[in-house]
């Protein structure tokens, strides 16, 4: 039973030490920090810009589905659709997606495409060298065969 326990612990250790798990943990931490930045941008820049037209807080935008809608927070009555908070969350998502795409995904895909092009160019050069070496070896073989052939006929 202790061997099975040791095996499970060794398997767990191997799982944790894999690069993917560490990369994922780093991504989660960076993502959490990045979410705070995006939320600050939405609350500090986007909301005030929208506030120039209406209220500064998007959460206050709502529609009354079934009245009477009075009060705010816990003392609110009626059935409200809080479309302002949905709009704020949507803006946060769009900004996050745009920043991730333009600052992380796009540069990484360009880098990977260049690396792949370099690898293919190097591989193509290697094939040309191999073909050239093969051609030279064939010529040497043909010359040796011809030399042996002419040597046998002189005897």
């Amino acid at each position: 039973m202790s061997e099975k326990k040791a095996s499970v612990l060794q398997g767990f250790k191997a799982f944790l030490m894999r690069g993917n798990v560490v990369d994922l943990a780093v991504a989660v931490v960076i993502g959490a920090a990045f979410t705070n930045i995006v939320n600050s941008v939405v609350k500090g820049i986007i909301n005030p810009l929208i506030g120039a037209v209406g209220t500064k807080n998007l959460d206050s935008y709502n529609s009354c589905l079934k009245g009477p809608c009075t009060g705010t927070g816990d003392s609110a009555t009626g059935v409200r659709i809080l479309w302002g908070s949905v709009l704020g969350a949507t803006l946060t998502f769009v900004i996050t997606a745009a920043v991730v795409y333009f600052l992380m995904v796009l540069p990484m895909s360009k880098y990977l495409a260049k690396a792949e092009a370099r690898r293919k160019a190097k591989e193509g050069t290697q094939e040309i060298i191999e073909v050239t070496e093969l051609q030279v070896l064939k010529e040497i073989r043909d010359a040796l065969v011809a030399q042996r052939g002419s040597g046998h006929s002189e005897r």
Side-chain angles (χ1 to χ4, degrees), residues 139-155:
E139 290 173 6
I140 292 170
R141 180 200 65 202
D142 293 343
L144 288 172
V145 167
Q147 191 178 33
R148 283 186 185 161
S150 64
H152 286 295
S153 62
E154 292 177 5
R155 288 185 185 178

Side-chain angles (χ1 to χ4, degrees), residues 61-130:
Y61 289 107
N62 63 64
S63 297
C64 185
L65 188 61
K66 183 177 180 184
C69 292
T70 59
T72 58
D74 292 337
S75 64
T77 61
V79 178
R80 297 175 190 242
I81 296 176
L82 305 173
W83 59 270
S85 61
V86 174
L87 178 63
T90 303
L91 286 171
T92 300
F93 171 77
V94 169
I95 291 169
T96 303
V99 168
V100 167
Y101 179 75
F102 289 112
L103 294 182
M104 295 176 192
V105 173
L106 194 60
M108 183 57 94
S109 63
K110 285 182 180 181
Y111 170 76
L112 291 175
K114 286 180 182 179
E116 182 67 18
R118 283 192 300 256
R119 187 189 65 77
K120 284 187 177 183
K122 185 178 178 183
E123 197 173 89
T125 305
Q126 186 72 18
E127 286 177 10
I128 291 171
I129 291 171
E130 287 176 7

